[in-house]
């Protein structure tokens, strides 16, 4: 049974203390907080027969609104697959993904594209900036593509937060790697999405630039209530998050709140034992 054909009403409650849409209690009333997104009994299988690979194995997890969550695990653990499915960039073999009170399997292609444009922000390792556009034009591009104009006050707040006020007229080739990634962060935040997914956002940066980007992301959560889910292999990067979820062999095997680099590294070592 595929993700697109499964009857998801009413869905089973996720194995968590956060609320999921359609599962009591209603969103906004659960013990830890409101679920911005999540997966319920998520399975993702590639190939068949002897070549079959189970990337996600019955994963149920939720991500709290206005929190910064890191997803970690060894290479091949399923962390990037989980994020891609959560963001609607890939589909499940079975199970369910929700963002807010919307199940992705119930959306057609047009509706899914609209949800990603309005509700989801993306920060990629490779920046994905348009080289012929200035920093300001790159930041506002998603809104312009949707026929919307920028909110000048919010735009200025975002730009000040990421420290780009004096670089708005520069093209990507005129910016450092850290500055380019800050443009990517600002682009994600400027549209005011319900949730931002970040895939190894500091993977191409030196330690100083990476720390700056992570601090900006943490400020977005702390000061503006943004929700961020980040995949990373770096214990230092994960320590900026409020919570770390650990995957191994396609399953969630542990989690940590209030992470430190040393604590995260110790958990990762245990996964390798």
């Amino acid at each position: 049974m595929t993700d697109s054909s499964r009857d998801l009403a009413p869905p089973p409650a996720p194995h968590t203390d956060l609320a999921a849409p359609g599962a009591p209690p209603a969103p906004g009333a659960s013990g830890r907080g409101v679920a911005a997104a999540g997966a319920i009994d998520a399975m993702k299988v590639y190939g068949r027969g002897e070549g079959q690979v189970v990337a996600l194995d019955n994963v149920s997890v939720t991500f709290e609104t206005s929190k910064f969550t890191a997803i970690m695990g060894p290479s091949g653990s399923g962390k990037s697959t989980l994020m891609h499915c959560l963001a609607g960039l890939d589909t499940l073999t079975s199970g369910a993904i929700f963002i807010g009170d919307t199940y992705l399997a119930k959306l057609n292609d047009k509706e899914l594209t609209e949800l990603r444009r309005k509700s989801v922000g993306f920060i990629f390792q490779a920046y994905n900036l348009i080289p012929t556009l200035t920093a300001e034009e790159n930041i506002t591009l998603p809104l312009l593509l949707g026929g919307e104009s920028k909110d000048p006050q919010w735009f200025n707040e975002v730009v000040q937060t990421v420290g780009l006020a004096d670089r708005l007229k520069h093209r990507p080739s005129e910016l450092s790697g850290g500055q380019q990634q800050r443009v990517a962060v600002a682009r994600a935040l400027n549209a005011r999405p319900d949730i931002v997914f970040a895939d190894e956002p500091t993977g191409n940066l030196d330690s100083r630039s990476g720390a700056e980007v992570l601090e900006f992301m943490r400020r977005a959560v702390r000061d503006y209530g943004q929700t961020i889910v980040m995949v990373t292999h770096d214990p230092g990067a994960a320590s900026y998050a409020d919570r770390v979820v650990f995957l191994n062999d396609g399953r969630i095997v542990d989690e940590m709140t209030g992470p430190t680099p040393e604590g995260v590294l110790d958990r990762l070592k245990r996964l390798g034992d």
Side-chain angles (χ1 to χ4, degrees):
M1 186 177 298
T2 65
D3 185 44
S4 59
S5 61
R6 182 176 178 179
D7 183 2
L8 300 175
H15 308 304
T16 178
D17 56 351
L18 292 184
S30 67
R32 188 194 294 160
V34 180
I40 301 172
D41 299 332
M43 294 286 298
K44 181 63 178 180
V45 180
Y46 297 99
R48 296 182 179 181
E50 294 183 359
Q52 180 174 289
V53 175
V54 180
L56 296 177
D57 188 1
N58 199 38
V59 171
S60 291
V61 63
T62 48
F63 299 93
E64 187 179 348
T65 298
S66 301
K67 294 294 183 181
F68 189 173
T69 304
I71 302 175
M72 299 196 76
S75 178
S77 61
K79 55 186 183 294
S80 290
T81 300
L82 175 60
M83 194 189 74
H84 291 161
C85 291
L86 287 167
L89 300 176
D90 200 355
T91 57
L92 297 175
T93 303
S94 64
I97 297 290
F98 64 87
I99 293 177
D101 59 0
T102 301
Y103 281 99
L104 302 195
K106 292 189 172 184
L107 305 180
N108 59 35
D109 289 344
K110 182 178 180 180
E111 291 168 335
L112 182 58
T113 298
E114 186 73 0
L115 180 136
R116 283 198 301 256
R117 186 179 67 80
K118 289 187 173 182
S119 300
V120 180
F122 298 98
I123 303 171
F124 298 101
Q125 180 176 344
Y127 318 141
N128 287 10
L129 303 179
I130 307 299
T132 57
L133 300 182
T134 65
E136 180 175 1
E137 290 166 340
N138 269 285
I139 293 169
T140 58
L141 182 61
L143 289 176
L144 295 176
L145 291 175
E148 302 175 34
S149 57
K150 70 180 181 183
D151 176 338
Q153 182 176 351
W154 176 245
F155 174 82
N156 288 335
E157 282 195 49
V158 169
V159 168
Q160 291 296 331
T161 297
V162 298
L164 286 170
D166 60 345
R167 293 289 187 269
L168 291 178
K169 301 305 179 183
H170 291 66
R171 289 184 170 81
S173 62
E174 301 170 314
L175 301 173
S176 68
Q179 290 168 341
Q180 290 184 61
Q181 192 61 297
R182 280 187 266 169
V183 173
V185 172
R187 178 179 58 191
L189 298 178
N190 186 55
R192 295 184 176 180
D194 296 328
I195 188 167
V196 171
F197 293 101
D199 190 2
E200 299 279 7
T202 60
N204 287 336
L205 302 179
D206 59 52
S207 58
R208 179 177 177 179
S209 296
E212 290 176 349
V213 167
L214 290 163
E215 182 57 35
F216 297 143
M217 292 168 64
R218 183 160 63 180
R219 283 187 59 193
V221 173
R222 182 185 63 217
D223 297 344
Y224 301 112
Q226 183 62 64
T227 304
I228 296 178
V229 177
M230 173 182 71
V231 166
T232 182
H233 69 281
D234 180 6
S239 71
Y240 283 79
D242 301 300
R243 170 186 175 221
V244 181
V245 175
F246 297 90
L247 271 73
N248 199 18
D249 295 330
R251 297 179 180 180
I252 293 178
V253 294
D254 204 353
E255 71 171 73
M256 175 188 296
T257 56
T260 63
E262 296 78 15
V264 172
L265 183 59
D266 181 63
R267 297 286 178 94
L268 288 174
K269 286 180 178 178
R270 280 191 251 165
L271 293 183
D273 292 341

